[in-house]
Amino acid sequence: AQRVTQPEKLLSVFKGAPVELKCNYSYSGSPELFWYVQYSRQRLQLLLRHISRESIKGFTADLNKGETSFHLKKPFAQEEDSAMYYCALFPVEYGNKLVFGAGTILRVKS
Amino acid sequence: EPEVTQTPSHQVTQMGQEVILRCVPISNHLYFYWYRQILGQKVEFLVSFYNNEISEKSEIFDDQFSVERPDGSNFTLKIRSTKLEDSAMYFCASQETDGTGELFFGEGSRLTVL
């Protein structure tokens, strides 16, 4: 079965501090992993995906197959980063749907 | 920029009533999805739809649920006889291609069953 675990419901940091949002997955195939973000009163939107290896809004995420992790990082948090962040897995070999983690609320305090 | 639109944004209904949630996916997209999120819980997959038929559905998507693409633009989710536990935010999403193509989400329809 495919499963995505985000252990923290809430992460609160000060502006300028580093951020790491944890994501672990369980999947027997080759995973396609994503981070989606939902700002207050807005729709879910793609933040980044592991296959593109790009940095969006200063965020990066590296797929670590040994640790089955895809943690989201940013060296210096900004207040506008406050949002709900969802890690998601696309089980390419076993269907056509995104499987979401429970989400982590990031609060950046001034 | 094209967006997925959903109506209504909020619907309140009595238990046992039928509800239809509507979605207009992005026009050149081929794959369509419904997800739901019960308050305080994770976003859960309900159903995916491609080429005018269901391609995958979850255990949640029982006989009370159905989806349709009646006119080539709308994509609807019908709940035949709502239950209290159907109260949730329902998200529609569309995708241009399968596999790792990005899913574009609507803003959601909040369903409250009394």
Side-chain angles (χ1 to χ4, degrees):
Chain A
Q2 310 98 37
R3 188 161 51 239
V4 177
T5 303
Q6 293 180 250
E8 302 140 329
K9 283 199 163 180
L10 171 66
L11 182 64
S12 190
V13 302
F14 282 102
K15 179 179 161 183
V19 169
E20 184 179 50
L21 299 168
K22 291 188 167 49
C23 171
N24 288 90
Y25 66 89
S26 172
Y27 180 57
S28 56
S30 290
E32 299 287 352
L33 285 152
F34 302 80
W35 278 96
Y36 275 77
V37 61
Q38 189 174 30
Y39 300 102
S40 179
R41 297 200 175 104
Q42 294 186 28
R43 66 190 69 212
L44 273 163
Q45 54 189 281
L46 180 66
L47 180 62
L48 53 79
R49 66 186 87 185
H50 91 273
I51 55 170
S52 59
R53 301 185 66 79
E54 55 192 345
S55 171
I56 304 291
K57 299 184 179 182
F59 284 97
T60 58
D62 290 318
L63 177 60
N64 185 324
K65 291 187 179 181
E67 295 181 358
T68 61
S69 69
F70 188 56
H71 303 327
L72 183 69
K73 298 177 185 179
K74 184 168 182 175
F76 307 104
Q78 298 170 310
E79 287 179 76
E80 54 264 34
D81 295 328
S82 295
M84 175 72 105
Y85 290 81
Y86 294 96
C87 183
L89 178 149
F90 200 99
V92 179
E93 291 96 338
Y94 299 108
N96 194 47
K97 63 178 186 285
L98 271 179
V99 176
F100 283 90
T104 299
I105 298 170
L106 174 64
R107 285 211 188 109
V108 181
K109 302 175 285 190
S110 56
Chain B
E1 189 175 326
E3 291 181 334
V4 175
T5 57
Q6 289 186 242
T7 55
S9 56
H10 188 194
Q11 180 153 358
V12 181
T13 190
Q14 295 291 325
M15 192 168 56
Q17 294 297 302
E18 177 183 283
V19 160
I20 297 176
L21 304 178
R22 291 185 167 80
C23 170
V24 179
I26 294 172
S27 62
N28 63 330
H29 286 191
L30 301 177
Y31 295 83
F32 313 111
Y33 303 83
W34 282 101
Y35 284 80
R36 81 168 185 193
Q37 186 175 32
I38 295 172
L39 187 64
Q41 298 186 24
K42 64 169 65 178
V43 178
E44 301 173 291
F45 168 77
L46 290 178
V47 66
S48 59
F49 192 87
Y50 169 70
N51 201 26
N52 280 322
E53 60 183 27
I54 290 173
S55 49
E56 189 172 349
K57 60 183 180 180
S58 71
E59 292 174 354
I60 303 166
F61 195 88
D62 61 22
D63 292 343
Q64 292 298 315
F65 291 89
S66 62
V67 287
E68 244 189 347
R69 191 159 153 79
D71 57 12
S73 60
N74 289 289
F75 178 52
T76 61
L77 174 69
K78 182 194 289 187
I79 309 174
R80 281 194 191 83
S81 178
T82 50
K83 304 187 280 277
L84 294 176
E85 53 265 37
D86 293 328
S87 295
M89 182 73 97
Y90 289 81
F91 294 104
C92 174
S94 69
Q95 187 183 29
E96 186 176 5
T97 60
D98 65 350
T100 56
E102 177 181 351
L103 264 68
F104 290 80
F105 285 84
E107 292 186 311
S109 292
R110 180 171 298 285
L111 176 64
T112 301
V113 182
L114 303 176

PDB file of all heavy atoms in Angstrom, chain A residues 3-6 36 44 86-89 98-103, chain B residues 35 42-45 103 105:
ATOM      1  N   ARG A   3       1.629   4.984   1.220  1.00  0.00           N
ATOM      2  CA  ARG A   3       1.314   5.828   2.370  1.00  0.00           C
ATOM      3  C   ARG A   3       2.312   6.971   2.456  1.00  0.00           C
ATOM      4  O   ARG A   3       3.497   6.811   2.168  1.00  0.00           O
ATOM      5  CB  ARG A   3       1.356   5.009   3.654  1.00  0.00           C
ATOM      6  CG  ARG A   3       0.850   5.768   4.880  1.00  0.00           C
ATOM      7  CD  ARG A   3       0.474   4.851   6.028  1.00  0.00           C
ATOM      8  NE  ARG A   3       1.518   3.916   6.342  1.00  0.00           N
ATOM      9  CZ  ARG A   3       1.361   2.609   6.305  1.00  0.00           C
ATOM     10  NH1 ARG A   3       0.218   2.081   5.944  1.00  0.00           N
ATOM     11  NH2 ARG A   3       2.353   1.815   6.613  1.00  0.00           N
ATOM     12  N   VAL A   4       1.802   8.138   2.846  1.00  0.00           N
ATOM     13  CA  VAL A   4       2.650   9.312   3.044  1.00  0.00           C
ATOM     14  C   VAL A   4       2.447   9.788   4.472  1.00  0.00           C
ATOM     15  O   VAL A   4       1.304   9.983   4.901  1.00  0.00           O
ATOM     16  CB  VAL A   4       2.279  10.435   2.047  1.00  0.00           C
ATOM     17  CG1 VAL A   4       3.126  11.665   2.312  1.00  0.00           C
ATOM     18  CG2 VAL A   4       2.469   9.956   0.612  1.00  0.00           C
ATOM     19  N   THR A   5       3.535   9.979   5.173  1.00  0.00           N
ATOM     20  CA  THR A   5       3.465  10.381   6.575  1.00  0.00           C
ATOM     21  C   THR A   5       4.116  11.739   6.763  1.00  0.00           C
ATOM     22  O   THR A   5       5.279  11.939   6.390  1.00  0.00           O
ATOM     23  CB  THR A   5       4.182   9.348   7.474  1.00  0.00           C
ATOM     24  OG1 THR A   5       3.596   8.061   7.269  1.00  0.00           O
ATOM     25  CG2 THR A   5       4.028   9.725   8.936  1.00  0.00           C
ATOM     26  N   GLN A   6       3.363  12.646   7.327  1.00  0.00           N
ATOM     27  CA  GLN A   6       3.909  13.938   7.731  1.00  0.00           C
ATOM     28  C   GLN A   6       3.725  14.007   9.242  1.00  0.00           C
ATOM     29  O   GLN A   6       2.610  14.192   9.725  1.00  0.00           O
ATOM     30  CB  GLN A   6       3.158  15.078   7.031  1.00  0.00           C
ATOM     31  CG  GLN A   6       3.382  15.109   5.529  1.00  0.00           C
ATOM     32  CD  GLN A   6       2.630  16.246   4.867  1.00  0.00           C
ATOM     33  OE1 GLN A   6       1.659  16.026   4.143  1.00  0.00           O
ATOM     34  NE2 GLN A   6       3.074  17.474   5.094  1.00  0.00           N
ATOM     35  N   TYR A  36       2.585  20.016  -2.282  1.00  0.00           N
ATOM     36  CA  TYR A  36       1.528  20.957  -2.599  1.00  0.00           C
ATOM     37  C   TYR A  36       1.380  21.918  -1.427  1.00  0.00           C
ATOM     38  O   TYR A  36       1.614  21.553  -0.269  1.00  0.00           O
ATOM     39  CB  TYR A  36       0.189  20.238  -2.845  1.00  0.00           C
ATOM     40  CG  TYR A  36       0.020  19.732  -4.262  1.00  0.00           C
ATOM     41  CD1 TYR A  36       0.668  18.578  -4.683  1.00  0.00           C
ATOM     42  CD2 TYR A  36      -0.776  20.410  -5.170  1.00  0.00           C
ATOM     43  CE1 TYR A  36       0.520  18.116  -5.977  1.00  0.00           C
ATOM     44  CE2 TYR A  36      -0.931  19.957  -6.473  1.00  0.00           C
ATOM     45  CZ  TYR A  36      -0.269  18.808  -6.867  1.00  0.00           C
ATOM     46  OH  TYR A  36      -0.417  18.351  -8.150  1.00  0.00           O
ATOM     47  N   LEU A  44      -5.408  24.365  -3.352  1.00  0.00           N
ATOM     48  CA  LEU A  44      -4.174  23.579  -3.361  1.00  0.00           C
ATOM     49  C   LEU A  44      -3.415  23.857  -4.656  1.00  0.00           C
ATOM     50  O   LEU A  44      -3.989  23.835  -5.736  1.00  0.00           O
ATOM     51  CB  LEU A  44      -4.505  22.081  -3.350  1.00  0.00           C
ATOM     52  CG  LEU A  44      -4.720  21.393  -2.013  1.00  0.00           C
ATOM     53  CD1 LEU A  44      -5.427  20.063  -2.213  1.00  0.00           C
ATOM     54  CD2 LEU A  44      -3.382  21.181  -1.331  1.00  0.00           C
ATOM     55  N   TYR A  86       1.340  20.012   1.965  1.00  0.00           N
ATOM     56  CA  TYR A  86       1.023  18.595   1.815  1.00  0.00           C
ATOM     57  C   TYR A  86       2.096  17.909   0.979  1.00  0.00           C
ATOM     58  O   TYR A  86       2.408  18.357  -0.130  1.00  0.00           O
ATOM     59  CB  TYR A  86      -0.316  18.398   1.103  1.00  0.00           C
ATOM     60  CG  TYR A  86      -1.515  18.870   1.857  1.00  0.00           C
ATOM     61  CD1 TYR A  86      -2.055  20.138   1.634  1.00  0.00           C
ATOM     62  CD2 TYR A  86      -2.131  18.047   2.801  1.00  0.00           C
ATOM     63  CE1 TYR A  86      -3.170  20.566   2.330  1.00  0.00           C
ATOM     64  CE2 TYR A  86      -3.250  18.477   3.499  1.00  0.00           C
ATOM     65  CZ  TYR A  86      -3.758  19.735   3.252  1.00  0.00           C
ATOM     66  OH  TYR A  86      -4.866  20.158   3.942  1.00  0.00           O
ATOM     67  N   CYS A  87       2.613  16.833   1.488  1.00  0.00           N
ATOM     68  CA  CYS A  87       3.461  15.957   0.708  1.00  0.00           C
ATOM     69  C   CYS A  87       2.564  14.938   0.019  1.00  0.00           C
ATOM     70  O   CYS A  87       1.572  14.486   0.606  1.00  0.00           O
ATOM     71  CB  CYS A  87       4.444  15.256   1.654  1.00  0.00           C
ATOM     72  SG  CYS A  87       5.637  14.190   0.854  1.00  0.00           S
ATOM     73  N   ALA A  88       2.885  14.602  -1.219  1.00  0.00           N
ATOM     74  CA  ALA A  88       2.010  13.686  -1.961  1.00  0.00           C
ATOM     75  C   ALA A  88       2.849  12.752  -2.818  1.00  0.00           C
ATOM     76  O   ALA A  88       3.916  13.122  -3.315  1.00  0.00           O
ATOM     77  CB  ALA A  88       1.028  14.465  -2.830  1.00  0.00           C
ATOM     78  N   LEU A  89       2.330  11.558  -2.991  1.00  0.00           N
ATOM     79  CA  LEU A  89       3.019  10.529  -3.758  1.00  0.00           C
ATOM     80  C   LEU A  89       2.135  10.088  -4.917  1.00  0.00           C
ATOM     81  O   LEU A  89       0.919   9.929  -4.757  1.00  0.00           O
ATOM     82  CB  LEU A  89       3.308   9.343  -2.836  1.00  0.00           C
ATOM     83  CG  LEU A  89       3.983   8.103  -3.408  1.00  0.00           C
ATOM     84  CD1 LEU A  89       4.826   7.431  -2.328  1.00  0.00           C
ATOM     85  CD2 LEU A  89       2.991   7.096  -3.937  1.00  0.00           C
ATOM     86  N   LEU A  98      -3.009  10.872  -6.840  1.00  0.00           N
ATOM     87  CA  LEU A  98      -2.093  11.371  -5.826  1.00  0.00           C
ATOM     88  C   LEU A  98      -2.545  10.874  -4.461  1.00  0.00           C
ATOM     89  O   LEU A  98      -3.737  10.925  -4.147  1.00  0.00           O
ATOM     90  CB  LEU A  98      -2.107  12.898  -5.788  1.00  0.00           C
ATOM     91  CG  LEU A  98      -1.161  13.689  -6.673  1.00  0.00           C
ATOM     92  CD1 LEU A  98      -1.394  15.168  -6.471  1.00  0.00           C
ATOM     93  CD2 LEU A  98       0.284  13.334  -6.391  1.00  0.00           C
ATOM     94  N   VAL A  99      -1.589  10.424  -3.676  1.00  0.00           N
ATOM     95  CA  VAL A  99      -1.870  10.035  -2.295  1.00  0.00           C
ATOM     96  C   VAL A  99      -1.244  11.099  -1.394  1.00  0.00           C
ATOM     97  O   VAL A  99      -0.035  11.340  -1.463  1.00  0.00           O
ATOM     98  CB  VAL A  99      -1.278   8.649  -1.984  1.00  0.00           C
ATOM     99  CG1 VAL A  99      -1.492   8.293  -0.519  1.00  0.00           C
ATOM    100  CG2 VAL A  99      -1.886   7.603  -2.898  1.00  0.00           C
ATOM    101  N   PHE A 100      -2.064  11.724  -0.569  1.00  0.00           N
ATOM    102  CA  PHE A 100      -1.605  12.849   0.240  1.00  0.00           C
ATOM    103  C   PHE A 100      -1.226  12.420   1.653  1.00  0.00           C
ATOM    104  O   PHE A 100      -1.823  11.510   2.229  1.00  0.00           O
ATOM    105  CB  PHE A 100      -2.705  13.903   0.349  1.00  0.00           C
ATOM    106  CG  PHE A 100      -2.870  14.741  -0.885  1.00  0.00           C
ATOM    107  CD1 PHE A 100      -3.739  14.353  -1.886  1.00  0.00           C
ATOM    108  CD2 PHE A 100      -2.155  15.913  -1.048  1.00  0.00           C
ATOM    109  CE1 PHE A 100      -3.896  15.121  -3.025  1.00  0.00           C
ATOM    110  CE2 PHE A 100      -2.309  16.696  -2.181  1.00  0.00           C
ATOM    111  CZ  PHE A 100      -3.187  16.297  -3.175  1.00  0.00           C
ATOM    112  N   GLY A 101      -0.278  13.139   2.210  1.00  0.00           N
ATOM    113  CA  GLY A 101      -0.044  13.069   3.638  1.00  0.00           C
ATOM    114  C   GLY A 101      -1.075  13.930   4.361  1.00  0.00           C
ATOM    115  O   GLY A 101      -1.907  14.587   3.738  1.00  0.00           O
ATOM    116  N   ALA A 102      -1.002  13.920   5.673  1.00  0.00           N
ATOM    117  CA  ALA A 102      -2.001  14.630   6.483  1.00  0.00           C
ATOM    118  C   ALA A 102      -1.808  16.142   6.453  1.00  0.00           C
ATOM    119  O   ALA A 102      -2.706  16.883   6.835  1.00  0.00           O
ATOM    120  CB  ALA A 102      -1.957  14.126   7.917  1.00  0.00           C
ATOM    121  N   GLY A 103      -0.646  16.576   6.028  1.00  0.00           N
ATOM    122  CA  GLY A 103      -0.399  18.014   5.956  1.00  0.00           C
ATOM    123  C   GLY A 103       0.276  18.560   7.206  1.00  0.00           C
ATOM    124  O   GLY A 103       0.100  18.037   8.315  1.00  0.00           O
TER     125      GLY A 103
ATOM    126  N   TYR B  35     -11.513  14.600  -4.847  1.00  0.00           N
ATOM    127  CA  TYR B  35     -10.932  14.320  -3.542  1.00  0.00           C
ATOM    128  C   TYR B  35     -11.866  14.905  -2.495  1.00  0.00           C
ATOM    129  O   TYR B  35     -12.643  15.809  -2.775  1.00  0.00           O
ATOM    130  CB  TYR B  35      -9.555  14.978  -3.391  1.00  0.00           C
ATOM    131  CG  TYR B  35      -8.434  14.288  -4.124  1.00  0.00           C
ATOM    132  CD1 TYR B  35      -8.233  14.473  -5.482  1.00  0.00           C
ATOM    133  CD2 TYR B  35      -7.557  13.441  -3.430  1.00  0.00           C
ATOM    134  CE1 TYR B  35      -7.198  13.828  -6.147  1.00  0.00           C
ATOM    135  CE2 TYR B  35      -6.515  12.808  -4.094  1.00  0.00           C
ATOM    136  CZ  TYR B  35      -6.350  13.013  -5.443  1.00  0.00           C
ATOM    137  OH  TYR B  35      -5.317  12.377  -6.100  1.00  0.00           O
ATOM    138  N   LYS B  42      -6.968  14.252   6.480  1.00  0.00           N
ATOM    139  CA  LYS B  42      -6.173  14.421   5.267  1.00  0.00           C
ATOM    140  C   LYS B  42      -7.043  14.479   4.026  1.00  0.00           C
ATOM    141  O   LYS B  42      -8.213  14.120   4.028  1.00  0.00           O
ATOM    142  CB  LYS B  42      -5.153  13.296   5.136  1.00  0.00           C
ATOM    143  CG  LYS B  42      -5.757  11.919   4.967  1.00  0.00           C
ATOM    144  CD  LYS B  42      -4.699  10.895   4.579  1.00  0.00           C
ATOM    145  CE  LYS B  42      -3.685  10.702   5.666  1.00  0.00           C
ATOM    146  NZ  LYS B  42      -2.672   9.678   5.313  1.00  0.00           N
ATOM    147  N   VAL B  43      -6.444  14.934   2.943  1.00  0.00           N
ATOM    148  CA  VAL B  43      -7.110  14.959   1.646  1.00  0.00           C
ATOM    149  C   VAL B  43      -7.131  13.525   1.110  1.00  0.00           C
ATOM    150  O   VAL B  43      -6.080  12.897   0.958  1.00  0.00           O
ATOM    151  CB  VAL B  43      -6.356  15.886   0.666  1.00  0.00           C
ATOM    152  CG1 VAL B  43      -7.018  15.878  -0.708  1.00  0.00           C
ATOM    153  CG2 VAL B  43      -6.295  17.308   1.214  1.00  0.00           C
ATOM    154  N   GLU B  44      -8.343  13.027   0.844  1.00  0.00           N
ATOM    155  CA  GLU B  44      -8.492  11.619   0.446  1.00  0.00           C
ATOM    156  C   GLU B  44      -8.976  11.510  -0.997  1.00  0.00           C
ATOM    157  O   GLU B  44      -9.906  12.206  -1.412  1.00  0.00           O
ATOM    158  CB  GLU B  44      -9.535  10.922   1.322  1.00  0.00           C
ATOM    159  CG  GLU B  44      -9.230  10.916   2.799  1.00  0.00           C
ATOM    160  CD  GLU B  44     -10.405  10.350   3.582  1.00  0.00           C
ATOM    161  OE1 GLU B  44     -11.465  11.014   3.647  1.00  0.00           O
ATOM    162  OE2 GLU B  44     -10.260   9.231   4.114  1.00  0.00           O
ATOM    163  N   PHE B  45      -8.387  10.600  -1.721  1.00  0.00           N
ATOM    164  CA  PHE B  45      -8.797  10.332  -3.090  1.00  0.00           C
ATOM    165  C   PHE B  45     -10.158   9.645  -3.106  1.00  0.00           C
ATOM    166  O   PHE B  45     -10.415   8.727  -2.332  1.00  0.00           O
ATOM    167  CB  PHE B  45      -7.750   9.430  -3.746  1.00  0.00           C
ATOM    168  CG  PHE B  45      -8.153   8.830  -5.060  1.00  0.00           C
ATOM    169  CD1 PHE B  45      -8.141   9.595  -6.213  1.00  0.00           C
ATOM    170  CD2 PHE B  45      -8.538   7.501  -5.140  1.00  0.00           C
ATOM    171  CE1 PHE B  45      -8.511   9.035  -7.423  1.00  0.00           C
ATOM    172  CE2 PHE B  45      -8.903   6.931  -6.341  1.00  0.00           C
ATOM    173  CZ  PHE B  45      -8.891   7.702  -7.489  1.00  0.00           C
ATOM    174  N   LEU B 103      -1.500  18.072 -11.069  1.00  0.00           N
ATOM    175  CA  LEU B 103      -2.939  18.174 -10.825  1.00  0.00           C
ATOM    176  C   LEU B 103      -3.260  19.615 -10.478  1.00  0.00           C
ATOM    177  O   LEU B 103      -2.598  20.231  -9.624  1.00  0.00           O
ATOM    178  CB  LEU B 103      -3.367  17.276  -9.658  1.00  0.00           C
ATOM    179  CG  LEU B 103      -3.915  15.899 -10.015  1.00  0.00           C
ATOM    180  CD1 LEU B 103      -2.853  15.020 -10.596  1.00  0.00           C
ATOM    181  CD2 LEU B 103      -4.566  15.272  -8.804  1.00  0.00           C
ATOM    182  N   PHE B 105      -6.118  22.009  -8.925  1.00  0.00           N
ATOM    183  CA  PHE B 105      -7.266  21.857  -8.043  1.00  0.00           C
ATOM    184  C   PHE B 105      -8.201  23.044  -8.119  1.00  0.00           C
ATOM    185  O   PHE B 105      -7.774  24.195  -8.311  1.00  0.00           O
ATOM    186  CB  PHE B 105      -6.802  21.690  -6.591  1.00  0.00           C
ATOM    187  CG  PHE B 105      -6.248  20.333  -6.302  1.00  0.00           C
ATOM    188  CD1 PHE B 105      -4.928  20.029  -6.575  1.00  0.00           C
ATOM    189  CD2 PHE B 105      -7.059  19.344  -5.763  1.00  0.00           C
ATOM    190  CE1 PHE B 105      -4.411  18.760  -6.320  1.00  0.00           C
ATOM    191  CE2 PHE B 105      -6.550  18.073  -5.496  1.00  0.00           C
ATOM    192  CZ  PHE B 105      -5.236  17.786  -5.781  1.00  0.00           C
TER     193      PHE B 105
END
